Amino acid sequence: MAATASERSLPCLFLHGASAGAHLILALAVAGSRLFPRRGKDTAVAVGGFRCYAVAACATWALAAFQLLLAAYSCYLGAGAGWPLDAVVEQADAAARAVAWLLLAAYLQFEFRREERFPAPLRLWWALFLLLSVVAVAVHAATSLDGLPVPARSWALDAVSVLAAVVLLVAGLFGKSELAGGSASEEPLLDGASESDSADASAFAGAGLLGVLAFSWMGPLLAVGHKKALGLEDVPELDPGDSVAGLLPSFKANLETLSGDGTPCQRVTAFKLAKVLVRTFRWHVAVTALYALVYNVATYVGPYLIDSLVQYLNGGDERHARKGQLLVLAFIAAKVFECLSQQHSCFRLQQVGIRARSALVAVLYEKGLALSGRSRQAHSSGEMVNIVGVDADRVGNSSWYIHDLWLVPLQVGMAMFVLYSTLGLASLAALGATAAVMLVNVPSVKVQEKLQQNLMRSKDVRMKATSEILRNMRILKLQGWEMKFLSKIIALRKTETNWLKKYLYTSTIITFIFWSAPTFIAVVTFGACVLMGIPLESGKVLSALATLRVLQESIYNLPDRISAIIQTKVSLDRIASFLCLEEFPTDAVQRLPIGSSDVAIEVSNGCFSWDASPEMPTLKDLNFQARRGMRVAVCGTVGSGKSSLLSCILGEVPKLSGVVKTCGTVAYVSQSAWIQSGKVQENILFGKQMDSEKYDRVLELCSLKKDLESFPSGDQTVIGERGINLSGGQKQRVQIARALYQDADIYLFDDPFSAVDAHTGSHIFKECLLGALAQKTVLYVTHQLEFLPAADLILVIKDGVIAQSGRYNDILSSGEEFMQLVGAHQDALAAIDAIDVPNGASEAFSSSDAASLSGSLPSADKKDKQNVKQDDGHGQSGQLVQEEERERGRVGFWVYWKYLTLAYGGALVPFVLLAQMLFEVLHIASNYWMAWAAPASKDVEPPVSMYTLIYVYVALALGSSVCTFVRALFLVPAAYKTATLLFNKMHVSIFRAPMSFFDSTPSGRILNRASTDQSLVDTSIANRMGSIAFAFIQLGGTIVVMSQVAWQVFVVFIPVIAICLWYQRYYIDTARELQRMVGICKAPIIQHFVESITGSTIIRSFGKENQFLSTNNQLMDAYSRPKFYNAGAMEWLCFRMDMLSSLTFAISLIFLINLPTGIIDPGIAGLVVTYGLNLNIMQVTLVTSMCNLENKIISVERILQYLSLPEEAPLSMSEDGLAHNWPSEGEIQLHNLHVKYAPQLPFVLKGLTVTFPGGMKTGIVGRTGSGKSTLIQALFRIMDPTIGQITVDGVDICTIGLHDLRSRLSIIPQDPTMFDGTVRHNLDPLGEYTDNQIWEALDHCQLGDEVRRKELKLDSPVVENGENWSVGQRQLVCLGRVILRRTKILVLDEATASVDTATDNLIQKTLQQHFSGATVITIAHRITSVLHSDIVLLLDNGMAVEHQTPARLLEDKSSLFSKLVAEYTMRSTRT
């Protein structure tokens, strides 16, 4: 008996030791002033103005006095008893308590006046003290139940401690200075910590104690969501502590501190990044650790007490009602603590995840804006989308697993403690078996990590290609290449799915190991008992089974946790690598304030290289000055370094040597227009305040007023992605307007005049550069030599060197470089003379005539929006980009059915369910066998021998393990096949969608589905669907077991289930819409990120980084809002589920202990309690799995939306019977052609009846918006005629397949496009031509020598969007493509806009040589490009105004074409 008493006193000794240690640490911390440092504030906060201060101070002093008295009393008792071990430990605990509480009371009395709130560490200690006090009550109750005496002073200490701890914790939660305004970011432990103006807007911040405990603060939002479909405006604001503005300063400060050298992003590693996250959210991490500790201790109380319960039920006459009631009370109390701690831990962990994601995306965005040119070229926008869209999400989701490193050992330790208390040394066998399971997992973890890295790497490559293809879809459709590029995406996906398949099967092996692990551990443990002669009584067996059942939840989840940790580690590595990329050099340019120097721009001894390589400088020996108010022109041939010169002034090109200085603010207009998605007005204002007078003046200067009048909503018209609904000229003029409105000191123009027609270019040059910017410093690149005489300084660039510099007349005869350019210009003018321009033509032109020529419709401002649904009340009529389509109401059953039956017609699903049911049956049978076959006590004769007991158990256990393996083998192929089919079908649907879909859909929406949604389908949806079935089967098994002895529980169980289902339906109405909002709010973040990376040069040049950072923060907060409240809604539901389950369990227990002896078998009753302990977990798991699935299945729903996009016409028609040489003549006839972009929009082309004779060259001219590009789109069937028809050699193009048509036509588009890959791939994407043919084409388009100079020749790399080639060179590559194809019909849409006049002349000669017998249609702003045409078609307002030979039109002085030529001549002859 003494041994037993000593054994039973072990928990008390351990408790006193832990308490003494904790109080000793507290005493040392307070004494050393380390835990509560002063904040250095001189002004003390009046104590009287501090809420709850008096309560906390009085409670602390009272507790300190009580502890001191108790310590003295314990010392007196110990001295009289001779100081046995337990007395020594108890006395040490009492002394530590007394000292710690006295020091704490002194701190509150004398030091706290300088504090604004109770410090977070203090509140954390009060919570820990409450936990210690409750555990002490539980230990003393268990000791009492075992029949051992508990001293009255211990009960008194417990009562006082619990009461004081509750008072102090409440004071800690609500105590604050009524004079001070803390912020949630400083005190994240507080549930309502925000004192800012927006505190009332945050439902969580304003909640009281009971509201926080029961998640009642979610009530109003759930009520609104139950009545109607929620909108973002219905979702309350975030607490400031959860917003990016509240998080980022602390995160960046920690990142800077841990980087070590003051450069926060140069030495970042995955480990450091993890440390930064933990350090930033340390108090949330600490609180969740406390919750996790309480939860894990509470879960093991039940298994520990089961043996006592079985002995009580088997006790016969020795049964005492009080003991049974105490047992029930202990079970229920443990359940309540388990429920509270679990739900609050889950909520806080999700809050940490949301904060981590927000902070990471903000830092990644800031880094993206600061990337150097080399870094941007090395990492595509698709890779960056993956990092922001997938990796940051994964790190956010990893918050669930932050405590696993210490929780798993703790759970194993507590399990071993309970097993040791019941089975003695056999628990060591259990420990060994657990360790073996862990060790078996090590190799598979390493394999999984490698597979995950390869999977993400292949996903990056696919997303990079997808992003590039979406950006260039128009050119792919024009060329008939889209299906070839689709096959490229499918091939990349195949590589990705090879890794995915290996990853999933590796996960299957790990899942099998861990699902079999609890059974394996049980077999080893009970086998050890048999071998060691330890009697297996039913109470001990059931206690062991219950302990292993609790442990199995951790072990079952271990594969998912390991997988998630691996994924998180890979994601952290990728984020850290991104943060270490080279940044834009901030010291490359000395930026002086305006007025500090008369020199606005100065470059001295400059040497620059995009590759940062001294061996291959891009620009060298640069020396020039531009004084304030000077106009500096830059000219030169294609690829000479003109744009690079502007980039080096902006500091974008790595500087090898020299000095660059600018004095004043800079505005930059790039050669390739960068337009933001958003309203026209927002693009022009670019963050500045509206000044109506200045704004109107800018519109006038840029000739935008006419365009805006024709837009559906004026300057409130929403511009699509990359300015898709603006013509090239309109995009450039919006860019120029943006620069003018900024009123900068220095203006840099990179050849913006190429994209506008001659009249508009002259107007902008005269009104803007010579007029509005007369007092500014202007540096402009141009290929149009007529703009050079107005410059104060001309720089002629050749091969990266300033070959000539000076005024126009000074350098005209000083070198051959400039003379070559001027000579080419004169040759072009001579072409006009050869056609005999009438002398009076110039005089015939007037400004009123020019005005009459202005088109009334932009060429591409009205796109088809029929594919975008509009929510009621959203969007303006005629807007191109609408809010993203969003389903309303519950997710349809058809979504689930489609997912389940997509792979193999759903044939594998029954096998998965059957395997799980067999597993559950065998698992229950094994436990039932152990409960029945093991004797209730030593005195009872066992029904079977111990060996039979073990053999049967092992057989059942092996059967259940095999079922687990079979289930996984069926689940993985189904998941993999479904993911593959969804991917392929979605991408085929996207690639076959009409161009209007891409014009009206930002690529961020498509990329979101191809990245985030597809990721969930790949790795998550199948498991979530399976978990519902598994949880349902497990719950069914539990109900069956409980009904064996307590069928009366169904009286309670049925209404509880009904209430649970009602709660679930009430909850899901809100949660579903919140989850949809999460999906919709993510796309703008990705869209803004990609757009900002593309335009980072412009953003930096205008100094608008902070503005864009703020926009990104707002978008992140808009994404976090529904995410945060979705987490709150889930825990609101789980809390209520848990409480109802606990009620059912409590009633079952009360029923059991009140049954007369002998009515039920104590072993079976214990089995019921064993299963009942997990009832709440199973019920909550089922309901939350259903809710989680409905939230996540939205990803499938969003992908399925894209499976039913409208399709273009068939690619080919077998019955069209086209001749292999069609078109042989190349004659194009337009019959009464009417074209509009959407049914509700006006006609763009109005009754066009024109014939383009076969084999002749036709030039199409007209003002911006006259319908030129629309005509070309109609010819290629990018849109079909509304009325009328187009015939080619007598064949109606609407009666043949799209590829049959487009493959017989060629086009050089206005925006030159190059793809990531090689030179060969860019010229011949389909691989149809030999190297000799490609070299010949390169020579003909003047790029042969340039490519030969490169080391890899035709295999020379081309980065994304051709960024390592100049715009002019890209246009020459497009020329090379059409030379290779040599079709009968060729369309040139502003094909030579970005090349100099000399190169233009060479191109024209090349085209004449290679397309002498072809029909050539040329759209050009350069009049000289159409003068060689056989026929000129002049369009105005969508109608053919003139259609005649150039000579005949020039003879007629009143013709509009004559006036256009006269204007060009008048402007050009100034040179």
Side-chain angles (χ1 to χ4, degrees):
M1 184 69 191
T4 304
S6 173
E7 184 180 311
R8 293 296 186 185
S9 69
L10 283 175
C12 292
L13 287 174
F14 177 78
L15 177 69
H16 285 302
S19 172
H23 281 86
L24 187 61
I25 292 170
L26 173 68
L28 291 172
V30 176
S33 298
R34 294 182 183 276
L35 189 60
F36 310 107
R38 296 191 182 189
R39 300 187 183 179
K41 294 186 175 132
D42 297 327
T43 308
V45 174
V47 171
F50 196 99
R51 187 191 305 166
C52 296
Y53 168 77
V55 173
C58 291
T60 307
W61 276 116
L63 188 58
F66 178 78
Q67 298 285 8
L68 189 63
L69 289 171
L70 197 64
Y73 181 60
S74 297
C75 184
Y76 168 73
L77 290 178
W83 296 106
L85 177 62
D86 55 345
V88 171
V89 174
E90 186 179 351
Q91 181 58 46
D93 180 24
R97 284 169 177 266
V99 172
W101 284 104
L102 281 170
L103 286 171
L104 199 54
Y107 158 75
L108 283 175
Q109 185 70 41
F110 304 111
E111 289 293 321
F112 185 68
R113 289 172 180 268
R114 298 184 181 273
E115 301 289 341
E116 293 175 355
R117 317 187 64 121
F118 291 120
L122 180 58
R123 282 172 281 140
L124 189 61
W125 161 251
W126 285 338
L128 181 63
F129 179 60
L130 176 61
L131 174 64
L132 283 171
S133 303
V134 170
V135 170
V137 172
V139 170
H140 290 148
T143 304
S144 178
L145 288 172
D146 288 336
L148 298 174
V150 176
R153 65 180 182 279
S154 296
W155 289 114
L157 176 62
D158 291 343
V160 172
S161 295
V162 170
L163 179 63
V166 169
V167 170
L168 289 171
L169 192 57
V170 170
L173 288 172
F174 295 97
K176 59 182 176 181
S177 167
E178 294 175 355
L179 305 176
S183 79
S185 62
E186 293 174 293
E187 298 289 344
L189 274 179
L190 296 185
D191 293 318
S194 174
E195 295 291 318
S196 67
D197 295 335
S198 64
D200 291 337
S202 170
F204 178 56
L209 177 64
L210 291 177
V212 169
L213 283 176
F215 295 94
S216 303
W217 52 272
M218 279 298 305
L221 181 61
L222 289 163
V224 173
H226 186 61
K227 291 175 185 173
K228 65 164 191 169
L230 285 178
L232 192 59
E233 66 280 359
D234 298 313
V235 182
E237 293 294 327
L238 290 170
D239 189 62
D242 293 312
S243 68
V244 177
L247 298 168
L248 199 54
S250 172
F251 183 83
K252 287 176 70 177
N254 287 325
L255 187 60
E256 207 168 306
T257 303
L258 288 176
S259 65
D261 60 350
T263 53
C265 295
Q266 293 305 313
R267 293 187 178 179
V268 180
T269 62
F271 178 69
K272 284 184 179 178
L273 200 54
K275 275 181 71 177
V276 169
L277 288 166
V278 171
R279 187 167 175 173
T280 304
F281 311 118
R282 56 189 177 277
W283 298 124
H284 269 66
V285 172
V287 167
T288 52
L290 180 64
Y291 287 143
L293 184 62
V294 172
Y295 170 73
N296 280 280
V297 169
T299 54
Y300 282 97
V301 169
Y304 182 77
L305 294 177
I306 278 181
D307 190 21
S308 298
L309 179 66
V310 171
Q311 297 305 321
Y312 170 77
L313 293 175
N314 194 42
D317 298 334
E318 298 176 14
R319 284 174 54 164
H320 298 291
R322 183 171 172 270
K323 184 175 181 180
Q325 291 163 4
L326 279 173
L327 279 169
V328 170
L329 187 63
F331 274 113
I332 293 171
K335 275 291 163 195
V336 170
F337 274 101
E338 181 185 327
C339 163
L340 283 170
S341 57
Q342 183 183 26
Q343 306 320 324
H344 284 276
S345 174
C346 289
F347 174 68
R348 289 294 191 178
L349 286 172
Q350 289 179 83
Q351 189 179 19
V352 169
I354 291 166
R355 290 184 172 198
R357 185 184 296 105
S358 295
L360 283 173
V361 172
V363 170
L364 287 168
Y365 180 82
E366 191 172 338
K367 179 71 178 184
L369 279 186
L371 286 182
S372 67
R374 282 199 305 169
S375 297
R376 282 205 309 277
Q377 288 182 10
H379 291 73
S380 70
S381 54
E383 290 177 68
M384 297 181 198
V385 164
N386 256 356
I387 290 171
V388 170
V390 176
D391 292 314
D393 259 12
R394 280 204 176 129
V395 175
N397 293 334
S398 71
S399 60
W400 289 100
Y401 311 105
I402 55 177
H403 297 303
D404 282 1
L405 285 176
W406 63 271
L407 272 182
V408 170
L410 175 71
Q411 289 163 345
V412 171
M414 287 192 292
M416 292 308 112
F417 172 77
V418 176
L419 288 174
Y420 181 76
S421 67
T422 53
L423 300 178
L425 292 176
S427 61
L428 296 177
L431 180 62
T434 306
V437 169
M438 302 289 183
L439 290 173
V440 165
N441 185 54
V442 172
S444 54
V445 168
K446 292 180 178 177
V447 171
Q448 262 207 320
E449 183 175 2
K450 283 185 181 177
L451 291 173
Q452 177 65 23
Q453 287 172 339
N454 289 325
L455 179 62
M456 289 308 298
R457 207 171 288 125
S458 57
K459 188 188 289 288
D460 279 346
V461 175
R462 173 176 64 81
M463 286 305 298
K464 175 182 178 180
T466 305
S467 176
E468 184 176 52
I469 288 168
L470 291 176
R471 189 169 54 251
N472 299 306
M473 186 58 79
R474 183 177 298 276
I475 186 64
L476 294 182
K477 286 191 176 290
L478 287 170
Q479 301 280 10
W481 291 343
E482 70 268 35
M483 301 316 289
K484 172 68 176 178
F485 277 77
L486 171 61
S487 64
K488 177 184 174 182
I489 293 293
I490 298 296
L492 290 173
R493 170 66 179 177
K494 192 172 181 181
T495 304
E496 181 185 346
T497 51
N498 285 338
W499 293 115
L500 176 65
K501 192 188 292 187
K502 291 175 184 175
Y503 178 81
L504 291 174
Y505 276 112
T506 308
S507 299
T508 299
I509 295 168
I510 294 174
T511 302
F512 167 69
I513 292 170
F514 283 103
W515 271 74
S516 304
T519 308
F520 169 70
I521 296 169
V523 167
V524 170
T525 305
F526 295 144
C529 288
V530 172
L531 293 174
M532 296 169 71
I534 299 171
L536 286 175
E537 299 169 12
S538 58
K540 297 180 185 297
V541 167
L542 289 171
S543 179
L545 286 175
T547 302
L548 294 175
R549 197 172 175 83
V550 172
L551 185 62
Q552 87 177 14
E553 289 303 318
S554 303
I555 295 178
Y556 282 173
N557 292 328
L558 210 52
D560 291 337
R561 291 176 177 179
I562 290 167
S563 176
I565 289 168
I566 290 167
Q567 291 178 4
T568 303
K569 201 258 183 190
V570 171
S571 291
L572 283 171
D573 280 330
R574 287 156 51 82
I575 291 171
S577 297
F578 183 77
L579 291 176
C580 290
L581 290 179
E582 181 186 64
E583 292 190 5
F584 165 76
T586 53
D587 58 347
V589 179
Q590 296 179 26
R591 293 175 173 83
L592 307 174
I594 188 66
S596 59
S597 172
D598 289 334
V599 178
I601 304 171
E602 182 179 4
V603 181
S604 305
N605 302 317
C607 187
F608 305 87
S609 172
W610 283 110
D611 300 324
S613 167
E615 291 79 23
M616 297 181 64
T618 308
L619 297 166
K620 55 188 175 182
D621 302 326
L622 287 191
N623 287 282
F624 74 91
Q625 279 189 352
R627 295 190 169 276
R628 285 173 59 190
M630 277 182 68
R631 284 187 295 277
V632 180
V634 182
C635 59
T637 56
V638 170
S640 57
K642 303 181 297 299
S643 298
S644 297
L645 176 63
L646 298 192
S647 295
C648 79
I649 294 170
L650 293 170
E652 295 288 331
V653 190
K655 184 176 67 175
L656 303 176
S657 62
V659 177
V660 182
K661 295 180 183 178
T662 59
C663 182
T665 55
V666 177
Y668 172 58
V669 179
S670 58
Q671 187 173 13
S672 299
W674 178 75
I675 303 293
Q676 279 184 274
S677 302
K679 296 175 183 174
V680 177
Q681 186 187 85
E682 291 169 353
N683 267 277
I684 295 172
L685 297 181
F686 209 46
K688 293 203 82 170
Q689 290 296 317
M690 173 58 121
D691 180 336
S692 299
E693 186 178 334
K694 178 180 174 183
Y695 181 73
D696 289 338
R697 172 70 177 147
V698 166
L699 293 181
E700 189 72 46
L701 290 171
C702 297
S703 304
L704 278 170
K705 287 211 164 184
K706 285 271 186 186
D707 299 281
L708 293 180
E709 287 169 10
S710 65
F711 283 6
S713 304
D715 64 356
Q716 297 303 303
T717 299
V718 175
I719 301 175
E721 188 177 15
R722 303 184 311 279
I724 199 78
N725 48 332
L726 300 180
S727 70
Q730 288 166 336
K731 283 191 273 191
Q732 276 296 7
R733 284 183 283 132
V734 169
Q735 271 213 130
I736 295 168
R738 175 172 64 206
L740 291 177
Y741 194 82
Q742 298 303 306
D743 194 24
D745 304 309
I746 300 169
Y747 283 82
L748 305 178
F749 291 93
D750 194 355
D751 197 19
F753 312 110
S754 296
V756 297
D757 59 73
H759 167 69
T760 308
S762 296
H763 171 83
I764 291 174
F765 186 80
K766 180 181 175 184
E767 297 297 327
C768 297
L769 273 72
L770 303 183
L773 302 180
Q775 303 304 313
K776 307 287 187 179
T777 306
V778 180
L779 194 152
Y780 60 97
V781 172
T782 184
H783 289 302
Q784 289 149 297
L785 270 65
E786 56 269 26
F787 294 143
L788 296 181
D792 301 310
L793 174 65
I794 298 171
L795 303 177
V796 183
I797 309 292
K798 183 177 182 181
D799 298 328
V801 178
I802 299 177
Q804 290 177 266
S805 64
R807 295 185 70 88
Y808 184 83
N809 292 326
D810 296 338
I811 65 171
L812 197 55
S813 57
S814 64
E816 62 177 44
E817 289 82 6
F818 190 58
M819 282 306 298
Q820 285 176 355
L821 296 172
V822 173
H825 183 63
Q826 298 298 341
D827 290 344
L829 291 176
I832 300 176
D833 297 334
I835 302 175
D836 190 18
V837 181
N839 292 330
S842 297
E843 288 76 9
F845 185 82
S846 68
S847 59
S848 61
D849 293 326
S852 72
L853 285 170
S854 296
S856 61
L857 282 170
S859 64
D861 66 329
K862 302 180 180 77
K863 297 292 181 186
D864 184 0
K865 59 181 180 126
Q866 62 189 356
N867 305 312
V868 183
K869 291 183 182 178
Q870 293 190 31
D871 294 333
D872 294 338
H874 289 281
Q876 295 172 301
S877 175
Q879 293 285 30
L880 173 71
V881 181
Q882 301 293 337
E883 288 187 17
E884 184 170 358
E885 177 183 342
R886 170 182 147 200
E887 300 288 347
R888 299 278 179 173
R890 66 180 300 175
V891 177
F893 174 74
W894 69 274
V895 176
Y896 297 93
W897 185 250
K898 185 81 172 174
Y899 182 84
L900 286 170
T901 58
L902 200 59
Y904 311 108
L908 296 182
V909 174
F911 292 103
V912 173
L913 295 177
L914 181 61
Q916 179 63 28
M917 283 190 278
L918 281 173
F919 166 80
E920 190 62 26
V921 167
L922 292 172
H923 192 65
I924 290 172
S926 64
N927 290 337
Y928 207 97
W929 168 258
M930 292 299 289
W932 174 80
S937 66
K938 296 175 185 177
D939 306 327
V940 179
E941 183 69 23
V944 296
S945 69
M946 286 294 106
Y947 288 100
T948 304
L949 177 84
I950 293 299
Y951 291 152
V952 173
Y953 184 73
V954 168
L956 293 170
L958 285 173
S960 65
S961 297
V962 169
C963 290
T964 305
F965 187 67
V966 171
R967 183 197 73 193
L969 283 181
F970 282 122
L971 187 62
V972 169
Y976 166 78
K977 184 72 172 176
T978 304
T980 303
L981 287 172
L982 281 174
F983 178 91
N984 291 345
K985 286 173 180 286
M986 176 176 72
H987 279 73
V988 168
S989 180
I990 290 170
F991 276 69
R992 290 286 293 117
M995 198 60 224
S996 54
F997 166 74
F998 299 96
D999 291 344
S1000 59
T1001 306
S1003 63
R1005 294 181 190 172
I1006 304 172
L1007 291 173
N1008 200 13
R1009 284 168 171 84
S1011 177
T1012 308
D1013 291 329
Q1014 187 63 47
S1015 238
L1016 283 171
V1017 171
D1018 285 346
T1019 58
S1020 182
I1021 301 289
N1023 287 333
R1024 290 183 183 279
M1025 209 165 255
S1027 68
I1028 287 183
F1030 306 157
F1032 185 80
I1033 291 166
Q1034 282 186 312
L1035 182 62
T1038 300
I1039 293 170
V1040 168
V1041 170
M1042 291 184 71
S1043 66
Q1044 293 295 304
V1045 287
W1047 60 266
Q1048 294 87 347
V1049 174
F1050 277 99
V1051 176
V1052 179
F1053 196 79
I1054 291 170
V1056 164
I1057 286 288
I1059 294 169
C1060 285
L1061 290 174
W1062 180 85
Y1063 268 132
Q1064 191 261 345
R1065 298 319 311 163
Y1066 183 79
Y1067 150 85
I1068 202 65
D1069 291 333
T1070 300
R1072 184 194 311 113
E1073 300 308 320
L1074 288 171
Q1075 186 62 30
R1076 283 180 176 143
M1077 274 186 256
V1078 168
I1080 288 170
C1081 290
K1082 188 168 187 176
I1085 297 170
I1086 294 174
Q1087 177 68 23
H1088 185 248
F1089 187 85
V1090 173
E1091 241 177 24
S1092 301
I1093 297 298
T1094 308
S1096 57
T1097 299
I1098 292 172
I1099 294 167
R1100 291 196 292 250
S1101 67
F1102 282 92
K1104 296 291 182 181
E1105 293 95 329
N1106 289 338
Q1107 174 189 322
F1108 276 77
L1109 289 170
S1110 175
T1111 302
N1112 181 67
N1113 293 352
Q1114 290 166 15
L1115 290 172
M1116 259 324 289
D1117 287 345
Y1119 171 69
S1120 298
R1121 275 165 61 198
K1123 194 108 178 151
F1124 176 84
Y1125 287 99
N1126 199 19
M1130 172 63 80
E1131 301 315 322
W1132 176 92
L1133 174 69
C1134 289
F1135 176 81
R1136 283 147 183 78
M1137 301 285 105
D1138 260 358
M1139 285 303 177
L1140 288 168
S1141 299
S1142 299
L1143 175 65
T1144 307
F1145 180 58
I1147 292 172
S1148 302
L1149 280 174
I1150 292 168
F1151 177 78
L1152 280 175
I1153 66 165
N1154 285 293
L1155 281 176
T1157 307
I1159 295 292
I1160 56 170
D1161 183 344
I1164 302 302
L1167 183 65
V1168 169
V1169 175
T1170 302
Y1171 273 83
L1173 284 172
N1174 282 11
L1175 180 64
N1176 68 313
I1177 295 174
M1178 289 178 187
Q1179 195 169 324
V1180 169
T1181 300
L1182 176 61
V1183 175
T1184 53
S1185 293
M1186 290 168 63
C1187 296
N1188 272 327
L1189 178 63
E1190 186 152 2
N1191 287 342
K1192 299 299 180 187
I1193 201 74
I1194 289 168
S1195 289
V1196 177
E1197 180 186 59
R1198 284 158 55 80
I1199 289 174
L1200 290 175
Q1201 281 175 354
Y1202 275 27
L1203 261 55
S1204 55
L1205 297 174
E1207 274 193 11
E1208 283 188 307
L1211 298 176
S1212 61
M1213 296 184 184
S1214 56
E1215 67 275 8
D1216 57 24
L1218 281 178
H1220 73 278
N1221 63 340
W1222 179 90
S1224 56
E1225 299 297 326
E1227 182 180 78
I1228 303 170
Q1229 291 183 317
L1230 313 181
H1231 304 282
N1232 190 29
L1233 187 65
H1234 289 72
V1235 175
K1236 58 169 70 175
Y1237 282 101
Q1240 72 275 25
L1241 296 175
F1243 285 108
V1244 181
L1245 297 180
K1246 307 168 184 176
L1248 212 56
T1249 302
V1250 175
T1251 297
F1252 299 95
M1256 297 182 70
K1257 294 171 177 54
T1258 302
I1260 303 178
V1261 293
R1263 299 295 186 207
T1264 297
S1266 59
K1268 304 186 296 295
S1269 293
T1270 305
L1271 172 57
I1272 301 307
Q1273 292 185 68
L1275 176 61
F1276 280 82
R1277 289 189 67 189
I1278 295 297
M1279 63 192 70
D1280 285 330
T1282 308
I1283 303 172
Q1285 64 177 358
I1286 302 174
T1287 61
V1288 177
D1289 283 3
V1291 177
D1292 185 346
I1293 64 171
C1294 289
T1295 63
I1296 62 176
L1298 290 180
H1299 275 192
D1300 295 335
L1301 170 68
R1302 293 168 183 170
S1303 63
R1304 314 290 178 97
L1305 310 177
S1306 292
I1307 184 170
I1308 303 179
Q1310 185 172 4
D1311 295 323
T1313 301
M1314 290 181 76
F1315 302 97
D1316 182 61
T1318 63
V1319 174
R1320 178 188 285 105
H1321 169 72
N1322 270 277
L1323 282 163
D1324 180 24
L1326 306 186
E1328 297 175 328
Y1329 304 100
T1330 65
D1331 282 6
N1332 289 336
Q1333 290 173 307
I1334 294 172
W1335 278 118
E1336 187 181 344
L1338 282 170
D1339 288 331
H1340 288 315
C1341 67
Q1342 312 302 316
L1343 280 175
D1345 293 338
E1346 176 68 27
V1347 176
R1348 285 187 182 91
R1349 281 199 295 268
K1350 295 181 181 293
E1351 185 181 349
L1352 298 175
K1353 305 294 189 290
L1354 291 179
D1355 293 319
S1356 298
V1358 177
V1359 301
E1360 187 180 21
N1361 208 32
E1363 292 291 340
N1364 56 339
W1365 292 65
S1366 75
V1367 176
Q1369 288 170 327
R1370 288 179 232 166
Q1371 213 143 24
L1372 294 176
V1373 169
C1374 295
L1375 173 64
R1377 288 176 189 151
V1378 300
I1379 291 174
L1380 274 174
R1381 290 179 77 166
R1382 299 197 184 191
T1383 54
K1384 190 65 180 177
I1385 297 174
L1386 170 62
V1387 176
L1388 307 175
D1389 188 1
E1390 301 293 350
T1392 58
S1394 299
V1395 299
D1396 58 273
T1397 310
T1399 308
D1400 187 10
N1401 292 344
L1402 285 170
I1403 290 171
Q1404 297 303 330
K1405 289 175 185 175
T1406 303
L1407 292 174
Q1408 287 173 19
Q1409 177 186 345
H1410 291 277
F1411 293 90
S1412 55
T1415 304
V1416 180
I1417 300 173
T1418 304
I1419 298 175
H1421 290 145
R1422 279 188 186 152
I1423 297 299
T1424 53
S1425 297
V1426 296
L1427 283 174
H1428 298 290
S1429 303
D1430 301 308
I1431 295 175
V1432 170
L1433 170 65
L1434 193 144
L1435 293 179
D1436 185 40
N1437 198 21
M1439 294 182 286
V1441 180
E1442 295 170 358
H1443 186 223
Q1444 208 25 283
T1445 63
R1448 291 287 299 276
L1449 289 173
L1450 288 174
E1451 287 173 9
D1452 182 2
K1453 295 180 183 179
S1454 63
S1455 72
L1456 297 178
F1457 181 70
S1458 177
K1459 293 174 181 178
L1460 277 174
V1461 173
E1463 177 198 4
Y1464 178 81
T1465 309
M1466 179 176 63
R1467 185 181 78 182
S1468 300
T1469 49
R1470 295 171 189 162
T1471 62

